Amino acid sequence: MNQGTEAVGFDPDFLREPLAVPSAPGMATAQLDYVHFSLQLNTERRLAWWVAWNIDGRRLFSADGIHRVDFRADDRLSDELQTLNDLYLDNHLDRGHIARRADLLWGTLPEALAGNRDSFFYTNITPQMRDFNQSRRDGVWGLLENAVLELDKIESRRVTLFGGPVLAASDPVYRGRQIPKDHWKVVAYAVGGQVQFRCFVLSQDLNPDRIETMDYLDEFKTHQVTLTDLEMRTGLQFESLRSHDDGLLARALEGGRVVADARDVEW
């Protein structure tokens, strides 16, 4: 699909040591590669199990200089396996990027343009209540990547991320689809020759009866959690992160810690 670009798909060797994508439970899935990111789709829920992407902060283009494009289905899959525009009509659900478009605008200009286009495939989108992933509106969730890239200590300004919705059996049903209440993200980077990572879960208080009106609950909380807690919540396994988990944050984060400002995270 994006002819003429050099970097297609998530690069597991982007940091000092390889970081493999998480493994998902044995449900119907489809793995897809795009420019600078890859994902595994849960074809029963019609949403991503996980998305994995890389950011080269030294070669980022400004999102202001690259035009947004239309959301669209991935024609490698049938429409019945994807969550498309019918879910988002006449309500207050956002088409929320999992891998942020701003994160993918790096490399050569053709690569950045291709990453921009690929970010708008519905396979990289989840239904989210408005403001949840908008860094321009000062949401903590959308500022986590920015906070890491601004650190002086990270090597080569490179960051690897994993993220997605928590596909829980208890998720509320709206228009015949289960809407994820929670989302998760792992931010990995290298410091002093060692890979480090931080795990986060965002909870959005969703009431399906209020999505089509202005009377909905828009209180979001970002929690920093342990890797063990993240695996329990998501049902995913992050084997390659295990060797980099020193356990130092485990006691402090037991049960999760609310993050009010991305700069308050102990990176």
Side-chain angles (χ1 to χ4, degrees):
M1 74 176 43
N2 293 293
Q3 298 300 319
T5 59
E6 300 172 3
V8 175
F10 169 73
D11 181 0
D13 299 314
F14 198 68
L15 301 180
R16 278 185 170 265
E17 298 183 43
L19 292 180
V21 298
S23 57
M27 291 181 67
T29 61
Q31 188 159 331
L32 302 165
D33 292 329
Y34 301 92
V35 174
H36 301 319
F37 71 104
S38 300
L39 60 84
Q40 188 169 17
L41 194 71
N42 181 323
T43 53
E44 294 186 19
R45 288 288 298 266
R46 300 164 66 174
L47 297 169
W49 271 119
W50 53 259
V51 180
W53 68 104
N54 309 112
I55 309 175
D56 187 340
R58 299 169 304 177
R59 303 167 63 201
L60 269 174
F61 288 84
S62 169
D64 294 335
I66 295 181
H67 295 297
R68 299 170 66 90
V69 301
D70 292 335
F71 293 94
R72 62 196 188 283
D74 189 322
D75 60 13
R76 293 175 292 181
L77 298 171
S78 69
D79 288 356
E80 290 72 23
L81 298 179
Q82 305 173 66
T83 295
L84 303 179
N85 195 48
D86 59 302
L87 183 66
Y88 301 95
L89 294 174
D90 302 320
N91 57 42
H92 295 282
L93 286 175
D94 270 350
R95 301 166 186 83
H97 287 68
I98 302 175
R100 297 189 314 168
R101 122 183 148 93
D103 293 349
L104 306 173
L105 308 181
W106 59 270
T108 64
L109 180 57
E111 286 175 2
L113 292 173
N116 179 62
R117 290 194 302 269
D118 283 5
S119 76
F120 285 89
F121 278 112
Y122 275 110
T123 48
N124 182 46
I125 304 301
T126 59
Q128 302 166 4
M129 294 309 287
R130 59 178 51 176
D131 291 354
F132 138 149
N133 199 27
Q134 304 294 333
S135 59
R136 66 181 181 275
R137 299 174 188 167
D138 297 323
V140 172
W141 194 251
L143 291 171
L144 291 170
E145 291 97 308
N146 303 28
V148 174
L149 288 170
E150 290 169 2
L151 295 176
D152 292 332
K153 65 181 183 178
I154 69 167
E155 296 176 10
S156 304
R157 295 196 67 214
R158 288 188 161 214
V159 182
T160 283
L161 295 106
F162 307 99
V166 176
L167 301 178
S170 59
D171 285 334
V173 175
Y174 172 70
R175 294 186 179 177
R177 320 275 177 79
Q178 283 189 283
I179 309 297
K181 292 190 295 183
D182 299 340
H183 286 70
W184 61 273
K185 186 180 291 185
V186 176
V187 183
Y189 48 94
V191 176
Q194 301 295 321
V195 171
Q196 299 182 14
F197 66 90
R198 300 293 183 265
C199 305
F200 303 91
V201 171
L202 181 140
S203 297
Q204 50 180 340
D205 194 350
L206 271 179
N207 184 329
D209 296 330
R210 300 178 177 182
I211 291 175
E212 293 181 351
T213 73
M214 291 302 292
D215 182 25
Y216 61 87
L217 302 178
D218 58 355
E219 297 269 339
F220 310 123
K221 291 185 179 180
T222 297
H223 301 261
Q224 186 177 357
V225 300
T226 65
L227 181 60
T228 297
D229 189 21
L230 184 66
E231 289 180 330
M232 291 179 62
R233 289 170 183 259
T234 63
L236 300 172
Q237 297 295 315
F238 298 83
E239 294 297 335
S240 67
L241 289 177
R242 278 283 163 209
S243 61
H244 304 293
D245 187 4
D246 57 17
L248 294 177
L249 290 175
R251 182 170 298 177
L253 296 178
E254 187 174 352
R257 180 174 65 192
V258 174
V259 177
D261 190 310
R263 293 168 296 185
D264 293 338
V265 177
E266 296 182 15
W267 299 106

